Structure formats: C-alpha cells, structure tokens
Amino acid sequence: MAKAQSEEYVEVEGKIVAVLPGTMFRVELANGHQVLAHISGKLRKHFIKITTGDTVKMEMSPYDLDKARIVYRLRNAAVQRNAPKRSYGPKRR
C-alpha cells in the first residue's frame, strides 16, 4: 500500500545523542525530548555520515512523537570528527 501524498509531517531539528545499531539514532530535540530516528533512503544512497553531536533535520508523524526519520544533516563547523588520517600507501621519492 502506498502512503497518501497529503499526509502531514512535523519538521523538527535535533542533536544526535547516541548512535545505535542498524542505522538508528537517539536524537534530542530543543525541548529536551528524546526520539528514536532512522535515516532516510537518500542519506543511505549518498553515504551521508552522521555521528554524535551532529545537528539534523527530521520528519515526525503527528501520531507518533517518539519516532522520526532523519532527512538532512545540517553543516556543523564546530564538530570534531576525530577521523583517522587517510593513508594512500607509501610515498615514492
């Protein structure tokens, strides 16, 4: 069954608190409420990485305010990713 196009979603912003298995995330909203969120298909398709501390935009159904879908990762300049430096093999001289 296909969902109706006119179904309304509530758009909210939140901060990632915890990364859970299975591409699930615990997100805290501005009012302190925590929701369980998963990433949308576009984010999966384009390999958008989401880590703890990122600010994200989510869609929530007005019927279940404990679950959400992450649709966009906002750009954060202050977030430290602590990613390892990439090595492309030994340097030739």
Side-chain angles (χ1 to χ4, degrees):
M1 281 202 191
K3 287 192 174 185
Q5 294 288 346
S6 63
E7 189 171 343
E8 294 295 321
Y9 291 106
V10 179
E11 275 205 3
V12 293
E13 288 185 12
K15 189 170 186 173
I16 302 290
V17 176
V19 179
L20 305 172
T23 64
M24 301 290 280
F25 300 90
R26 180 75 54 197
V27 183
E28 185 171 357
L29 305 180
N31 61 5
H33 185 69
Q34 289 192 357
V35 297
L36 184 66
H38 62 91
I39 59 176
S40 68
K42 288 281 187 178
L43 294 178
R44 278 181 213 261
K45 180 180 174 184
H46 295 291
F47 299 104
I48 304 298
K49 304 294 183 218
I50 300 175
T51 60
T52 305
D54 285 344
T55 304
V56 293
K57 189 183 293 185
M58 301 180 294
E59 290 180 348
M60 297 176 68
S61 170
Y63 303 109
D64 188 4
L65 298 176
D66 289 331
K67 296 179 184 171
R69 176 180 351 156
I70 299 171
V71 294
Y72 190 76
R73 181 178 61 87
L74 299 170
R75 298 195 183 272
N76 296 337
V79 173
Q80 294 290 335
R81 296 236 182 253
N82 295 333
K85 301 273 184 195
R86 295 194 182 254
S87 172
Y88 296 104
K91 293 182 180 177
R92 296 185 186 205
R93 295 182 188 234

